[in-house]
Amino acid sequence: MNGNILIVEDEPKLASLLSDYLRASGFEPFCLSNGAEVVPWFREHKPDLILLDLMLPGRDGMEVCKDIRAFSHVPIIMVTARIEEIDRLLGLELGADDYICKPFSPREVVARVKAVLRRTHDGHTIQAKGLVLDEHRYRATLHSHNLELTAVEFKLLQFLVANPGRIYGRQQLMNRIYPDERSVSDRTVDSHIKKLRRKIEAVDPEAMLIHSVYGVGYKFEPDATS
Ligand code: CA
């Protein structure tokens, strides 16, 4: 068994579809349909990951996420029906580990669940699609070639890679790289990303790892091209 997954979803069909796919992938799913039931259930059963719908009766997903984060680091994947919501959710910094937009394929959800769990279990090396990030040495390799990243480029890549598929706005990336400076221009992030992509492409021209999301920011999504 791969782990217990709590699915919080008030559309019964969707909940059972997700549940079936997760079970077929070796997980033990459990479904709740009311947001108010999540915290008490969580405290008793300690699931390994929560798939949390945003719009819920009882208590909405955002509030539930905040409630859980007040006492637990359990991986949380938020599910929302609108792509625009994701931007707003990111701004609120709820502490969710990933975001999925409806409609989704259950297969994609299973892949995300596995990715988030893998990440939470791994220690200091992140691996994705031939990419290996050594967080102790600030060294990134792609297909065993050193990318020779600067510290800033490494931090950017590390941040993006840690949450595949999650879209980060320039401001968020900037706060991450320069926590003390507030006056760095948006263009700074663009320029670092550009250099980072160039270094990745120099090793593997086919590797489309970092994607721009028009008007929003950037995301790391190694599976987007496969
Ligand atoms: Ca809902």
Side-chain angles (χ1 to χ4, degrees):
M1 200 194 56
N2 290 327
N4 299 311
I5 312 290
L6 172 61
I7 302 164
V8 190
E9 172 58 68
D10 59 323
E11 293 170 51
K13 275 188 188 163
L14 196 51
S16 76
L17 182 69
L18 281 176
S19 179
D20 290 348
Y21 267 82
L22 285 166
R23 191 170 291 117
S25 305
F27 293 99
E28 185 74 40
F30 191 91
C31 302
L32 289 178
S33 59
N34 189 305
E37 296 168 355
V38 179
V39 170
W41 192 92
F42 179 90
R43 288 190 186 275
E44 198 175 330
H45 297 88
K46 303 270 189 302
D48 296 297
L49 183 143
I50 305 177
L51 271 170
L52 183 58
D53 187 30
L54 185 66
M55 299 289 279
L56 291 165
R59 193 157 174 77
D60 78 39
M62 268 190 281
E63 291 173 315
V64 173
C65 186
K66 276 191 266 180
D67 293 345
I68 300 272
R69 274 293 169 267
F71 65 92
S72 168
H73 292 293
V74 66
I76 298 176
I77 301 179
M78 300 279 294
V79 180
T80 165
R82 289 168 52 211
I83 188 97
E84 305 91 78
E85 276 293 332
I86 292 183
D87 200 25
R88 193 166 73 85
L89 291 171
L90 289 177
L92 294 172
E93 305 204 333
L94 297 170
D97 295 86
D98 202 355
Y99 296 87
I100 295 176
C101 197
K102 288 179 186 177
F104 48 69
S105 75
R107 207 176 295 243
E108 182 202 346
V109 176
V110 171
R112 297 276 196 104
V113 165
K114 286 182 179 169
V116 168
L117 285 173
R118 207 180 305 129
R119 224 157 61 210
T120 354
H121 289 300
D122 281 357
H124 302 286
T125 314
I126 300 176
Q127 297 193 38
K129 279 268 164 144
L131 191 65
V132 178
L133 270 69
D134 182 336
E135 300 184 311
H136 283 317
R137 287 183 284 175
Y138 269 41
R139 186 170 179 270
T141 58
L142 180 61
H143 310 312
S144 307
H145 295 276
N146 190 350
L147 292 175
E148 316 229 355
L149 303 184
T150 62
V152 165
E153 290 159 1
F154 184 89
K155 277 201 260 180
L156 258 175
L157 184 62
Q158 179 188 34
F159 190 45
L160 290 167
V161 167
N163 289 295
R166 178 167 166 182
I167 304 162
Y168 288 100
R170 290 181 177 81
Q171 193 57 49
Q172 279 179 300
L173 293 172
M174 212 115 75
N175 294 345
R176 185 70 184 194
I177 330 171
Y178 304 103
D180 314 309
E181 269 175 87
R182 285 162 199 279
S183 56
V184 188
S185 111
D186 277 16
R187 298 282 155 237
T188 312
V189 166
D190 292 339
S191 132
H192 286 305
I193 293 271
K194 208 172 181 182
K195 287 180 197 153
L196 184 53
R197 277 174 161 168
R198 215 175 278 155
K199 288 179 180 180
I200 290 170
E201 278 165 28
V203 173
D204 180 0
E206 306 280 285
M208 289 283 294
L209 300 179
I210 299 166
H211 302 257
S212 321
V213 181
Y214 185 74
V216 185
Y218 296 99
K219 65 175 177 176
F220 172 80
E221 195 152 40
D223 297 328
T225 51
S226 59

